[in-house]
Amino acid sequence: MELQEFKISVLPLRCKLLNYARKIIGNPEDAEDAVQEAMLKLWNKREEMEQYKSIEAFAMIVTRNLCMDVLRSKHTTDTSLEQVSNTTVNSTPERLMETHDEMRLMHEIIASLPTLQRTIMQMKDLEEYETEEIAEITGCSAEAIRSNLSRARKKVRDIYLQAIQEKKRRKQA
């Protein structure tokens, strides 16, 4: 892929990638950095791009992976000022700790999903993409998207409920 072709097929995706990164990361500056790095990676892989069915899907995956790296590099235990202000006066330290543990558990469960299911769940539930948009980006059929999303949600729910029941059993013992 030459420079002109890259400008035509990849650079127009920048705005969409930036919106996607902002939704994942939440911080506009970090999202901008991730997209810049994604563009650099895409440029470095320009010779290999013709092997991909959808350049847009590949760009979204590269961006998502870089965003996940950014999130992993930050301390997940840091609490933002917004989160602190949203806690009620009646919250006890024990309840806050339980909430933090539940959120950590949910993140771990979602991270344990197969890549496709995790990506589809994130795009549908967090970024609020329509099923047809996800199908276009991933190259899967709309029916496969719905099926994978259903399986992912069921697996998250089952593992979460199992973990909660185990926690209750340990408290009673």
Side-chain angles (χ1 to χ4, degrees), residues 124-151:
K124 183 70 172 174
D125 295 337
L126 298 177
E127 284 99 40
E128 299 176 354
Y129 278 92
E130 296 297 321
T131 303
E132 291 74 25
E133 292 175 306
I134 299 170
E136 185 180 315
I137 291 168
T138 60
C140 297
S141 69
E143 187 173 306
I145 298 299
R146 285 188 284 276
S147 175
N148 275 297
L149 184 61
S150 176
R151 284 188 206 122

Side-chain angles (χ1 to χ4, degrees), residues 95 97-106 160 164:
R95 181 63 195 135
M97 192 146 188
E98 284 177 12
T99 302
H100 176 70
D101 288 345
E102 288 173 4
M103 291 302 294
R104 192 186 86 253
L105 174 63
M106 287 302 288
Y160 180 76
I164 296 299

Side-chain angles (χ1 to χ4, degrees), residues 38-161:
M39 287 297 187
L40 183 60
K41 272 195 178 206
L42 292 169
W43 173 253
N44 290 333
K45 294 202 174 261
R46 68 188 178 280
E47 299 301 324
E48 303 167 23
M49 277 203 220
E50 292 168 6
Q51 73 185 9
Y52 296 102
K53 194 175 187 180
S54 169
I55 292 173
E56 181 178 352
F58 178 63
M60 295 292 276
I61 290 169
V62 167
T63 303
R64 185 205 67 211
N65 290 342
L66 289 167
C67 289
M68 294 306 186
D69 290 346
V70 168
L71 291 174
R72 279 187 207 105
S73 70
K74 291 183 177 264
H75 296 288
T76 56
T77 57
D78 290 349
T79 305
S80 70
L81 190 56
E82 182 178 305
Q83 289 172 322
V84 172
S85 67
N86 286 339
T87 59
T88 63
V89 176
N90 297 332
S91 293
T92 64
E94 293 84 12
R95 181 63 195 135
L96 291 173
M97 192 146 188
E98 284 177 12
T99 302
H100 176 70
D101 288 345
E102 288 173 4
M103 291 302 294
R104 192 186 86 253
L105 174 63
M106 287 302 288
H107 285 289
E108 288 173 3
I109 294 169
I110 292 170
S112 74
L113 292 173
T115 305
L116 182 61
Q117 288 182 1
R118 183 176 59 240
T119 302
I120 291 170
M121 188 175 198
Q122 183 174 356
M123 292 175 81
K124 183 70 172 174
D125 295 337
L126 298 177
E127 284 99 40
E128 299 176 354
Y129 278 92
E130 296 297 321
T131 303
E132 291 74 25
E133 292 175 306
I134 299 170
E136 185 180 315
I137 291 168
T138 60
C140 297
S141 69
E143 187 173 306
I145 298 299
R146 285 188 284 276
S147 175
N148 275 297
L149 184 61
S150 176
R151 284 188 206 122
R153 287 175 176 163
K154 182 181 183 332
K155 188 171 184 179
V156 168
R157 181 178 53 248
D158 291 348
I159 293 171
Y160 180 76
L161 290 174

